[in-house]
Amino acid sequence: MILVVGLRASIITKLWFSNKMRQKYQLSCLLACIAGSFIAISAFAQTPESWPTRPITMVVPFPPGGVADTVGRPIAEAFTRILGQPVVVENKAGAGGGVGMAAVAKAKPDGYTILFAQNGLAIDVAANPKLPFNGQKDLLPVVGVAATPHILIVNTNSPAKTVADLMAMLKADPGKLSFGSSGIGNSDHMAGELFLATTGLQAIHVPYKGGSPAATDLVGGQIDFYFAGMPVGLPLYKGDKARALAVTSKNRFSGAPELMTIQEAGVKGYEMALWQGVFVP
């Protein structure tokens, strides 16, 4: 069992720290894989046959309605069916996900507290030396769940109909337009900063406590653009509540193939993905 955990941890850790993580998992295979991983991990504390005997808490370090929450809840429901014990989602938002991550990192490593995290965890580990935990030692990556592009959206009343339009607006008023994110250092924040750095343009970053409030203000016109995660941004685009300009992947997204990529729009070399995964103390 320990060998299985070590091998899986080695493989997933490489994915965790790689900005080339692109593979998507079919849900049926994924759930079987995750369930097997948890059974293996439980061997550290007890025999697999005795685990789980009580509810499991899945910490989502962002508010309800955001990307991590939207993807994490169906996973928790599937865990519940597979494991025969309730897997309860607990939203612990704050500090760009740091509050929830730290809570899991410091939790008892008995298989009853798990973390559903995304890019922000690896970004925090790399960029924030003052984290109250050691991201590479205190959290064990179990399995990757998904990797999807961001979707660049603007308000439906925005003059920007294309990426070129948005770039022209940014160039005309340097540092005047604003873009939102689910928090400082999160994947959508990095997607926006990468866009600005690649194009040499300037904008004001407005961090929120999750993707849902950022999307709300985008729809309401309080911010000018947002590199939203697909679970948040795609429904807004499909529901005509926001205008989508492009996706951040190298190739077009199958869920909206009519949308060009940022690279196709003329920003050469631009590529960004949002990944999620399961971690344990």
Side-chain angles (χ1 to χ4, degrees), residues 142-165:
V142 178
V143 70
V145 171
T148 59
H150 294 268
I151 180 169
L152 172 57
I153 55 176
V154 297
N155 184 275
T156 54
N157 294 321
S158 172
K161 301 292 195 302
T162 65
V163 174
D165 289 342

Side-chain angles (χ1 to χ4, degrees), residues 166-179 196 199-205 224-225:
L166 179 61
M167 292 171 61
M169 291 166 59
L170 289 164
K171 187 175 182 179
D173 291 303
K176 297 293 179 65
L177 274 67
S178 60
F179 74 99
L196 296 175
T199 59
L201 299 170
Q202 298 178 12
I204 300 169
H205 172 227
D224 296 296
F225 62 102

Side-chain angles (χ1 to χ4, degrees), residues 54-70:
R54 54 187 172 85
I56 298 166
T57 298
M58 174 190 278
V59 174
V60 174
F62 299 99
V67 173
D69 185 72
T70 302

Side-chain angles (χ1 to χ4, degrees), residues 8-82:
R8 187 178 301 283
S10 175
I11 294 171
I12 302 303
T13 299
K14 291 178 182 178
L15 292 176
W16 181 28
F17 288 106
S18 171
N19 63 4
K20 295 298 182 182
M21 178 182 179
R22 295 293 181 270
Q23 182 177 8
K24 298 178 182 178
Y25 297 85
Q26 293 295 330
L27 185 58
S28 58
C29 296
L30 165 69
L31 295 176
C33 181
I34 294 176
S37 301
F38 283 142
I39 291 171
I41 286 171
S42 72
F44 283 113
Q46 53 197 314
T47 63
E49 290 75 19
S50 65
W51 178 92
T53 59
R54 54 187 172 85
I56 298 166
T57 298
M58 174 190 278
V59 174
V60 174
F62 299 99
V67 173
D69 185 72
T70 302
V71 178
R73 286 184 181 274
I75 298 294
E77 292 171 3
F79 286 169
T80 297
R81 294 193 300 271
I82 292 170

Side-chain angles (χ1 to χ4, degrees), residues 177-236:
L177 274 67
S178 60
F179 74 99
S181 79
S182 60
I184 295 174
N186 287 332
S187 184
D188 48 6
H189 176 202
M190 294 296 100
E193 295 291 357
L194 180 61
F195 176 74
L196 296 175
T198 305
T199 59
L201 299 170
Q202 298 178 12
I204 300 169
H205 172 227
V206 182
Y208 291 84
K209 294 182 178 180
S212 183
T216 298
D217 271 10
L218 184 282
V219 172
Q222 279 73 48
I223 55 176
D224 296 296
F225 62 102
Y226 176 29
F227 283 86
M230 279 295 174
V232 170
L234 191 61
L236 295 178

